[in-house]
Amino acid sequence: MTLAKRLWLTIAFTACSLLLVLALTAFQLQALSQQFSQYRARQALSTHLNELKASVLELSHADPMLDSTTTQLEKTAQTVQRLRNQIVSALPADQRGDFDYALAHHWTEFTRQIESSLKIAETSPEDAINIPEAAYKLDIVPLIARIDQQLAAERTGLAAAENAMEASVARLLFAILGPLLATGIAVILLQLAVSKQLKSRIQQMCIASDRLAAGDTQARLPGHNHDELGRAARHINQALDKLLAVMQDVHESALQSEGQSRQVLDLSTRVVEQTRLQIQYSEQSSQVVQWLSKLADNLVAEAHTPAQTLAETPLPSPVLSKVQDTLGEMKRVSQSILDITHIGHLIRDMAEQTSLLAHTATIEATKVRRMTDRELVFFRRADEHYQRRQEQHRASLAGERVM
């Protein structure tokens, strides 16, 4: 598996874990929101019950002899009606009928008694005062008891709601922190595994690089994995193989070039020596021809000289013409020998230049061979040094184990 795929899998795992955490968190938050709504509704119901109780008790202590009692009765009736609608709608369905019947019955009877006391307050004040007290015992006390019973139930419900909300908050914390902690641990373990593997492989590559730098030409980078680092290592190994092959070819070519250059140098030296011998022979032949030419000139000169004695007679004309022809041939031979000598000098110059070029080529080939020899000797010595260091390291490890 490639490094990119591993990273993408880690990212996908992290994203899925976060989505799971978000889904669980949203579910728990929705449940907690509903519980808060129910808790607020119960609080509002308790507030309305307390307000209803306070309004009824306030009216029950009103003095029927006062003119403001009528106004107070009207306001309290409106408040009770308003609170009645709110309370009945907020109560559970199985409790609405019972509570609504008790509130309507007792409140109707109590208001009827208060209205009667207000009517007879002008004619019989003593009876008007006694009617509210009797109505209070007959209607208000049971109504207050019913309201207190409902308040006690609401307090119990509020306590249960608070416990449920605390449990929901605890579950919410667990639902958030638990998956986050598990996801974090899983991601950390994955990253540690990947980093450990990468560190090990990089160390192996560094060791192989150190061996190459030390001259171990057989060292190669680990390229057995099928990921980015493995492909890079295989490319580097191929480049090293090609480089060593090129160096070996250069060394062999330098050896061949040096041998061929030496052969060319030997042949050129032989050509120069043969040319020098031919030049010497040509020079000797030229000297002989010049001597013969001088001798022929002397003969011709003597043939044209007047006789001094009777015994001395001039040469005949045929002999003289033969001598002159011979003299001409010898001059042509001398000129030919001079031409051959000139050509021999040219050949010698060309042979010397060829010898110089061959010598230069031999020097360059020797330099190349020596350079490749030095590189190969360096690699061999470095490899031997590396092997010695390895043996010393193994010996030291064996000594430490013995100790």
Side-chain angles (χ1 to χ4, degrees), residues 12-216:
F13 176 77
T14 304
C16 292
S17 300
L18 290 177
L19 290 176
L20 178 61
V21 170
L22 290 175
L24 292 175
T25 303
F27 178 76
Q28 294 293 332
L29 286 175
Q30 184 178 3
L32 186 61
S33 177
Q34 292 178 357
Q35 290 176 353
F36 272 117
S37 299
Q38 294 175 1
Y39 184 77
R40 286 194 297 268
R42 286 185 176 274
Q43 282 186 332
L45 180 58
S46 298
T47 302
H48 295 157
L49 289 172
N50 287 320
E51 187 179 357
L52 176 63
K53 180 179 177 181
S55 299
V56 171
L57 289 176
E58 184 181 3
L59 182 61
S60 64
H61 294 87
D63 189 0
M65 303 300 295
L66 298 176
D67 296 334
S68 61
T69 303
T70 304
T71 305
Q72 185 180 359
L73 177 61
E74 294 176 357
K75 291 181 179 180
T76 303
Q78 294 176 358
T79 302
V80 169
Q81 185 62 33
R82 176 177 60 82
L83 294 174
R84 177 186 174 184
N85 295 330
Q86 294 176 350
I87 292 170
V88 170
S89 62
L91 286 173
D94 56 344
Q95 299 178 5
R96 291 177 184 175
D98 186 20
F99 184 83
D100 187 40
Y101 174 77
L103 177 59
H105 174 71
H106 291 296
W107 176 252
T108 302
E109 291 295 328
F110 179 72
T111 54
R112 187 175 62 81
Q113 293 294 332
I114 294 297
E115 290 175 354
S116 298
S117 65
L118 291 175
K119 290 179 180 179
I120 66 174
E122 297 178 356
T123 58
S124 177
E126 294 179 358
D127 294 336
I129 293 174
N130 293 327
I131 290 175
E133 293 180 0
Y136 176 79
K137 293 179 181 180
L138 291 175
D139 297 315
I140 297 301
V141 171
L143 180 59
I144 296 300
R146 183 67 183 82
I147 293 174
D148 290 338
Q149 180 183 359
Q150 193 64 40
L151 285 172
E154 293 302 320
R155 283 193 294 269
T156 303
L158 287 174
E162 289 177 356
N163 295 329
M165 285 189 294
E166 290 177 358
S168 297
V169 171
R171 287 195 302 270
L172 180 62
L173 292 176
F174 180 77
I176 295 175
L177 296 179
L180 283 178
L181 182 61
T183 303
I185 292 174
V187 171
I188 289 172
L189 291 177
L190 287 175
Q191 294 296 332
L192 286 176
V194 173
S195 62
K196 184 177 180 181
Q197 186 179 7
L198 287 177
K199 181 179 179 181
S200 175
R201 293 179 60 190
I202 291 173
Q203 286 179 350
Q204 293 176 2
M205 296 178 72
C206 291
I207 292 172
S209 300
D210 293 337
R211 291 177 60 187
L212 286 171
D216 185 6

